[in-house]
Structure formats: structure tokens, C-alpha cells
Amino acid sequence: MTQGVHSTVTGPSDLHLHSNHSDGTETPAEVVRQAQAHGIRTLALTDHDRTTGWGEAGDAAVSRGMTFLGGIEFSARHDWRSVHVLGYLFDPTDPALVAETDRIRRDRVGRAERIVRSIGRDYDLRWQDVLEHTTPDATIGRPHIADALVAAGIVGDRSEAFDGILHPRAGYYEPHYAPDPLTVVRLITRAGGVAVIAHPATSGRDRMMPVAYLERLIAEGLGGLEIGHRENTEDGKRMLRKIAARHDLIVTGSSDYHGAGKPNLPGENTTSDEMVSRIIERATGSEPRTP
Ligand code: AMP
Ligand code: FE
Ligand code: FE
Ligand code: ZN
């Protein structure tokens, strides 16, 4: 961590934002504009299971004098737990990584159709309604079904849909294919990227993945933990800080902005210049884009 490397990163940095290439409501260029309007100077676009927004977001960032890091948020699963793994500065053309994201995205379509068919037995909702609220090729998921439920006047907003009809307890939920986190950490690392577990403590201590499993991921190349995130519990953050210190992990903080789809706003959590530098130094798969 030399002075020279540090000087290349200019915060505030927000390393977790979504566009309409997955389940955000804005184009990549609009996400960048919003990030800048909230004071962000370095950002990463982390669409679910998809990297197609990098070009537009990178161009927008550079033209605004900002720094852009290519990113992704992988939908993984450990036992019954949904685990999200962020990847930064990997090679987006890596064949193994691309094959896995294609597989997840393909399975998400059939899964969303099954959920909608099941909801359609009790409510006036059809697959076509969901497609009308989705950008073609977006990484489709429950947020898009939520938008269709809102448009149909069945719920008021995405959050109400998630707390009700889309909650697994409501009985319409279906899982989609998801690789285990170990596979994802290896894929990102072998593609030259840095893997970071997203919001690892959203459900509290008892439901967080076991520390022993986290340590296996670290042994396999996991680079960091997203500790600054509104959904991590305070107890969880304390525990994660201890684990990060013990293993000298990268620690990030980010907004998980989804445009109008969630209350999260750019810059509500940020990552230090030192930690962004560590990500850039460690990655070999792609370069950040700078003005
Ligand atoms: P899925 O991957 O299709 O099961 O949907 C999960 C996605 O829904 C996550 O990526 C979240 O970004 C989003 N999500 C979860 N809860 C909410 C909420 N309350 N409001 C809006 N979006 C949500
Ligand atoms: Fe999302
Ligand atoms: Fe997530
Ligand atoms: Zn996210």
C-alpha cells in the first residue's frame, strides 16, 4: 500500500449498486449520475449475475470525472441460505464464469414463471404482466414480479410485495439454481477478481453462515466482507469485524442501491480509499476505469 497507489483512489466510494440490467430501476448511466449526485466519486456496478452494464456505466463515470470498477453480485446458496457474493475487477469474458452466470440467469426465468403461475391461481397476474415491467434480458427475479404486482394494484410497493406475497412464507416462493459460495469464490478468483461476501449478517447471528464455512471460503481466496450495509445487524457487524481483523480481510461498505426499487441511497455506506486500493492491487482480471 504505497502512497502512489492510494492517490489513484478518490472517495467517497460506493461499491454495490444495481441497474436495470438486473433488478435496479435505472439505466447504468443514470445510476452513475445518481451516485455522483449523492457525492460518490468512485463506484462499482454490481448487477446480479450479469456484467453487461459495465460499458455504459464506465463511459458515464469517466465522462463525469469518476472512477469505475466492474463488479457483479452472484446469487449463491449454502444449505438453505441465499448467499450473495460480490466480485470485482475479474475478467468478464472468463469462460467458466460466463457459463455459470448464464446458467443462473437461464434458470431464473423458468423459476420466475413458476412463481407467477402459482401467484396467478390466487391473484390476477400473468407472466406477460411481468415481462412488461422488465427490460429484455434483465436478470429476472422477484423484484420484477413485485413491480407487476404494484402495477396491477395488488400491492403498494416492492417492499410490501416482499413482506407479503413474495415472502417464502406466503407459499408461492420457488428457489432458482444457485451454485455454492465456494464455487463462486473460486470462479471470481480464478478470473482474476476479488470476491467479497455481500451483506453477510442480514439475518442475525443465528442465521449467518457458520464461521467455519466462512473460513473455508477465506482459505479458497475470499478477499473481503461487506460489513457496511444497512441490512447487517449490529451484532453481526461486530462479529464480522473480528473475523476480518483475524484474517486481514478487505472490509467494504456500500449502499446496494436499486434506484426506486429500494429505499437504499448511494453513499449511505462507503468504502475507505485504503480498502478500494487493496481491491485494485489484488485484482488481475480487469482494470478500473479512470478519467
Ligand atoms: P430473488 O433473487 O429473485 O429471490 O430476489 C431477491 C432480490 O430482491 C434481492 O436481490 C434484493 O435486491 C431484492 N429485494 C429483497 N427484498 C426487497 C425489498 N423489500 N424491496 C425491494 N427489493 C428487495
Ligand atoms: Fe437486487
Ligand atoms: Fe444482495
Ligand atoms: Zn445487491
Side-chain angles (χ1 to χ4, degrees), residues 21-159:
H21 286 235
S22 61
D23 58 353
T25 58
E26 298 163 352
T27 62
E30 179 63 14
V31 170
V32 173
R33 196 183 75 80
Q34 288 292 341
Q36 187 170 48
H38 286 83
I40 293 304
R41 298 183 70 181
T42 294
L43 84 159
L45 187 73
T46 53
D47 278 311
H48 297 284
D49 315 306
R50 201 163 186 222
T51 62
T52 47
W54 287 19
E56 183 184 321
D59 290 348
V62 169
S63 75
R64 291 174 175 279
M66 302 163 76
T67 297
F68 174 79
L69 280 66
I72 196 167
E73 184 175 19
F74 258 98
S75 311
R77 190 178 301 119
H78 175 59
D79 295 337
W80 46 269
R81 282 179 199 85
S82 167
V83 175
H84 286 176
V85 185
L86 295 159
Y88 296 109
L89 299 178
F90 52 89
D91 172 5
T93 69
D94 179 82
L97 187 142
V98 169
E100 196 63 17
T101 52
D102 283 352
R103 183 174 174 192
I104 298 169
R105 286 162 37 73
R106 222 178 305 118
D107 198 70
R108 274 177 163 283
V109 179
R111 172 260 194 168
E113 283 193 69
R114 287 193 297 279
I115 294 178
V116 170
R117 207 177 305 132
S118 174
I119 294 173
R121 292 192 194 106
D122 295 332
Y123 298 90
D124 189 13
L125 186 79
R126 289 156 193 274
W127 182 235
Q128 189 57 36
D129 302 327
V130 175
L131 292 182
E132 277 166 21
H133 296 279
T134 307
T135 315
D137 297 331
T139 297
I140 202 158
R142 286 182 290 160
H144 304 97
I145 303 174
D147 290 346
L149 288 166
V150 173
I154 297 167
V155 297
D157 61 15
R158 275 191 183 182
S159 293

Side-chain angles (χ1 to χ4, degrees), residues 9 23 39-40 44 51 59 76 79-80 85 113 121 137 162-163 195-197 206 217 219 221 243 256 258 265 274 282:
V9 177
D23 58 353
I40 293 304
T51 62
D59 290 348
D79 295 337
W80 46 269
V85 185
E113 283 193 69
R121 292 192 194 106
D137 297 331
F162 271 91
D163 291 341
V196 172
I197 301 293
D206 53 338
L217 298 181
I243 297 168
D256 206 354
H258 281 69
L265 290 176
E274 182 204 339
R282 186 174 164 132

Side-chain angles (χ1 to χ4, degrees), residues 4 7 55 103 118 120 187-188 194 198 208 220 233 240 246 263 266 270-271 275 282:
S7 64
R103 183 174 174 192
S118 174
L187 279 172
I188 293 169
V194 179
M208 196 175 113
E220 287 293 330
T233 63
L240 292 169
R246 194 182 314 141
T270 54
T271 301
M275 291 298 174
R282 186 174 164 132

